[in-house]
Amino acid sequence: MSQFFSIHAETPQPRLIKQAVEIVRKGGLIVYPTDSCYALGCALDNKDALERIRRIRQLSDKHHFTLACHDLSQLGNYARVDNRTYRLLKCATPGNYTFILLATKEVPRRVWHPKKQTVGLRVPDHPVALALLEELGEPMLSSSLLLPGEDMPMSDAWDIRDRLEHDVDLVIEGGYCGVEPTTVIDLSEGAPVLMRAGKGPLAPFGFDD
């Protein structure tokens, strides 16, 4: 049975944030709110939790997992970023974007795309997510909570608990997050390539909204 925390969406309670992060550090898989939708999250080096995410979402080995980072400086430790790319990232973070970038050796190989050696990275613009990442002190391996056969991510924390209470260790209720996932931009080869149009505006990257 999973635990269930209600954390204030604008002023997260430090005590509950610390308890949630302790669950992550001890190997737990959590559901947490972001600025686009609810997401699954675990420690970066947690192989078992990674496989649990794959099982819950029925993902192939070619799926791009995302590292949710607290800020752009942290993101730069896990991706190879040149000056031009950094300027693009600086204009769009924190925000509703996931960026596909070349992974550094700080990222476990099992998280890389098997052929491209890339990984998804983002800086969420949500107080609860940012508080969790600040307390954790490193990125959290994440994936949008989109279940097999569903068209949209799950948006109600109580429904999430009912459906996944035996599959995750903690569900964090942090208010309504919406059901539109992030916009995914591939920056791994220089020029932006639109992989998925989502909540983040397209204009900053030269695409038509």
Side-chain angles (χ1 to χ4, degrees):
M1 297 286 287
S2 62
Q3 297 189 61
F4 188 89
F5 295 171
S6 285
I7 298 183
H8 197 281
E10 295 180 359
T11 54
Q13 304 93 314
R15 175 180 59 85
L16 293 179
I17 291 294
K18 289 180 182 294
Q19 290 179 15
V21 167
E22 191 61 24
I23 290 171
V24 173
R25 287 178 175 149
K26 290 182 177 179
L29 175 61
I30 70 170
V31 174
Y32 70 102
T34 77
D35 49 340
S36 58
C37 58
Y38 277 90
L40 294 158
C42 66
L44 179 58
D45 60 354
N46 191 332
K47 182 179 179 180
D48 291 339
L50 172 64
E51 293 307 316
R52 289 165 69 187
I53 295 175
R54 288 191 191 277
R55 185 171 64 251
I56 290 169
R57 291 206 51 200
Q58 296 182 13
L59 299 172
S60 75
D61 61 358
K62 294 180 176 60
H63 176 76
H64 266 115
F65 281 95
T66 297
L67 305 188
C69 301
H70 179 262
D71 53 31
L72 192 54
S73 63
Q74 189 180 69
L75 182 153
N77 292 326
Y78 296 86
R80 284 180 263 170
V81 178
D82 60 22
N83 290 337
R84 180 176 180 275
T85 300
Y86 182 86
R87 287 193 295 270
L88 284 172
L89 294 174
K90 189 174 182 180
C91 292
T93 56
N96 306 118
Y97 299 96
T98 298
F99 301 102
I100 306 302
L101 296 162
L102 291 171
T104 69
K105 293 181 180 180
E106 299 297 319
V107 181
R109 292 183 67 90
R110 60 178 171 272
V111 180
W112 296 6
H113 185 284
K115 293 183 178 179
K116 300 179 179 180
Q117 298 183 2
T118 50
V119 68
L121 293 108
R122 70 172 303 225
V123 181
D125 190 12
H126 191 287
V128 174
L130 291 173
L132 290 168
L133 292 166
E134 183 175 24
E135 178 68 24
L136 184 60
E138 62 181 29
M140 188 156 52
L141 184 66
S142 296
S143 180
S144 298
L145 186 45
L146 180 63
L147 296 182
E150 301 288 339
D151 294 326
M152 296 184 296
M154 297 188 73
S155 60
D156 184 276
W158 286 272
D159 289 343
I160 294 169
R161 179 177 62 174
D162 289 342
R163 292 189 63 176
L164 297 179
E165 63 180 353
H166 299 293
D167 299 298
V168 301
D169 300 288
L170 169 67
V171 175
I172 296 175
E173 186 276 318
Y176 180 71
C177 300
V179 294
E180 192 173 9
T182 57
T183 290
V184 180
I185 305 287
D186 190 338
L187 296 173
S188 63
E189 296 184 6
V193 176
L194 179 63
M195 305 293 290
R196 179 181 72 196
K199 195 171 182 179
L202 302 180
F205 297 91
F207 306 111
D208 294 329
D209 281 312

